[in-house]
C-alpha cells in the first residue's frame, strides 16, 4: 500500500468539441507533486455536495489555475474584460476550501487558486489588471510558462521567505485577474513592482496555507527554490 500522501488538485475545464469536454489540470502540477513524494489526484467539479467526501480522501488540497472567478461571488457585476467563468467550479471549490480549512488540511493555492481563496474569505478581485491597474506591468507573459518574466518582492517575516530564502524572486506570470481587496484573514507576503499581490498567507491557520499568484509548478523542475514550495507542502501532508 502506498505511503505517499494524497494531494487533491482541483480541476479546470477543457472543451474539445460538442461531443467531448471534461476536467483538465496542467501536467506540471502532477509532476511537481509526484517529484516531491506525493500522490496527485484530480478533483472534478461535479457537485458541492461531494466536497466533504473529496477532502476526506485527501491529505492536502491544491487549488489550481484556470478560468476567471465569477464576480457574483464577491458582489460585483462583470467587467467588460472579464474572461470565461464557470460558476459551478467556483461553487465546488469554495465548498472544498471551506471543508479543507475546517479540517485543517494543508492548502496550496496557485494563480486562480489564490484568487478563490481570497474571495472565500471575503476579499475581492481585479477582474482585468490592464484596464483596472494604472501603469501595470505585463502579467500575461508571451514566452514559455517555465520562464521567469518579472520580480516579486517578498516579506522577510513570512513563511514564503523561509521557504525561498530571498527578498526578491524572479517569477513567471500567466494571469489577468488578481487580488484587489485583501481578505481580512490574509497577509500579503509578496508583491510585484506595480503593487499586485503575488503571495498571501493566513494570519492564524494552524496548518500549511500558502497562496501564490505565479505558477511555481511550471518552474519547479529546473528551479530548486520553486520546487521547495512543493517539497514543504507535500511534507506538511504526511
Amino acid at each position: 500500500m502506498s505511503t505517499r500522501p494524497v494531494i487533491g488538485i482541483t480541476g479546470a475545464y477543457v472543451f474539445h468539441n460538442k461531443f467531448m469536454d471534461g476536467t483538465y489540470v496542467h501536467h506540471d502540477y502532477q509532476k511537481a507533486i509526484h517529484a516531491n513524494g506525493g500522490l496527485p489526484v484530480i478533483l472534478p467539479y461535479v457537485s458541492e455536495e461531494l466536497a466533504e467526501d473529496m477532502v476526506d480522501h485527501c491529505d492536502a488540497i491544491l487549488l489550481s489555475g484556470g478560468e476567471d472567478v465569477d464576480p457574483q461571488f464577491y458582489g460585483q457585476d462583470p467587467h467588460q474584460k472579464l474572461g470565461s467563468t464557470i460558476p459551478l467550479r467556483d461553487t465546488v471549490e469554495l465548498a472544498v476550501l471551506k471543508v479543507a480549512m475546517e479540517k485543517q488540511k494543508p492548502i496550496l493555492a496557485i494563480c486562480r487558486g489564490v484568487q478563490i481563496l481570497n474571495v472565500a474569505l471575503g476579499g475581492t478581485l481585479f477582474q482585468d489588471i490592464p484596464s483596472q491597474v494604472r501603469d501595470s506591468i505585463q502579467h500575461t507573459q508571451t514566452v514559455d510558462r517555465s520562464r521567469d518574466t518579472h520580480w516579486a518582492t517578498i516579506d522577510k517575516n513570512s513563511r514564503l521567505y523561509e521557504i525561498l530564502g530571498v527578498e526578491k524572486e524572479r517569477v513567471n506570470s500567466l494571469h489577468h485577474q488578481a487580488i484587489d481587496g485583501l481578505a481580512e484573514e490574509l497577509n500579503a507576503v509578496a508583491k510585484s513592482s506595480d503593487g499586485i499581490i503575488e503571495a498571501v498567507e493566513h494570519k492564524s491557520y494552524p496548518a500549511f496555507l500558502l497562496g501564490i499568484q505565479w505558477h511555481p509548478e511550471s518552474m519547479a523542475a529546473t528551479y530548486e527554490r520553486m520546487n521547495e514550495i512543493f517539497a514543504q507542502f507535500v511534507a506538511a501532508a504526511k
Side-chain angles (χ1 to χ4, degrees):
M1 187 173 180
S2 175
T3 58
R4 290 173 173 264
V6 176
I7 312 298
I9 307 173
T10 58
Y13 179 80
V14 60
F15 178 78
H16 294 288
N17 54 50
K18 65 180 179 179
F19 302 109
M20 184 171 62
D21 55 19
T23 304
Y24 165 84
V25 174
H26 196 285
H27 198 49
D28 287 347
Y29 291 102
Q30 294 96 297
K31 289 191 291 185
I33 294 300
H34 172 260
N36 287 285
L39 176 64
V41 175
I42 300 173
L43 304 179
Y45 51 89
V46 177
S47 168
E48 61 184 302
E49 296 176 359
L50 297 178
E52 185 159 10
D53 285 339
M54 289 195 291
V55 172
D56 280 344
H57 281 80
C58 299
D59 297 300
I61 298 295
L62 194 163
L63 300 172
S64 71
E67 305 84 8
D68 286 357
V69 179
D70 193 307
Q72 68 172 298
F73 293 102
Y74 50 97
Q76 293 184 10
D77 287 326
H79 187 275
Q80 288 188 2
K81 298 292 186 179
L82 178 71
S84 61
T85 62
I86 302 177
L88 177 59
R89 181 181 180 187
D90 299 331
T91 300
V92 171
E93 288 194 350
L94 288 167
V96 165
L97 183 57
K98 181 176 184 294
V99 174
M101 293 189 72
E102 288 173 351
K103 295 179 181 290
Q104 298 182 2
K105 302 271 185 170
I107 297 167
L108 178 59
I110 293 177
C111 196
R112 167 196 158 88
V114 72
Q115 296 163 15
I116 202 80
L117 170 65
N118 187 59
V119 169
L121 298 177
T124 63
L125 304 179
F126 290 117
Q127 295 186 43
D128 181 63
I129 294 171
S131 58
Q132 292 185 293
V133 179
R134 185 176 179 180
D135 298 326
S136 60
I137 64 172
Q138 184 187 72
H139 286 278
T140 307
Q141 67 190 54
T142 57
V143 297
D144 187 85
R145 64 186 288 133
S146 65
R147 287 180 54 188
D148 59 276
T149 59
H150 72 77
W151 290 99
T153 301
I154 299 165
D155 186 344
K156 289 189 70 173
N157 298 309
S158 67
R159 182 162 190 175
L160 181 61
Y161 176 81
E162 292 176 2
I163 293 171
L164 299 179
V166 293
E167 291 184 68
K168 290 189 72 176
E169 182 62 279
R170 294 284 296 176
V171 301
N172 56 1
S173 196
L174 295 157
H175 62 105
H176 84 113
Q177 295 201 316
I179 293 173
D180 181 9
L182 182 65
E184 187 175 345
E185 296 175 53
L186 299 176
N187 284 325
V189 297
K191 291 185 178 182
S192 53
S193 61
D194 56 5
I196 291 296
I197 294 173
E198 294 286 345
V200 300
E201 296 175 1
H202 198 278
K203 293 178 179 178
S204 60
Y205 192 68
F208 183 105
L209 195 160
L210 179 61
I212 297 176
Q213 183 58 73
W214 69 89
H215 282 270
E217 78 283 358
S218 293
M219 302 175 71
T222 56
Y223 198 8
E224 183 53 38
R225 285 205 293 266
M226 294 300 168
N227 185 67
E228 187 62 21
I229 293 170
F230 294 92
Q232 293 203 22
F233 172 55
V234 173
K238 293 181 179 179

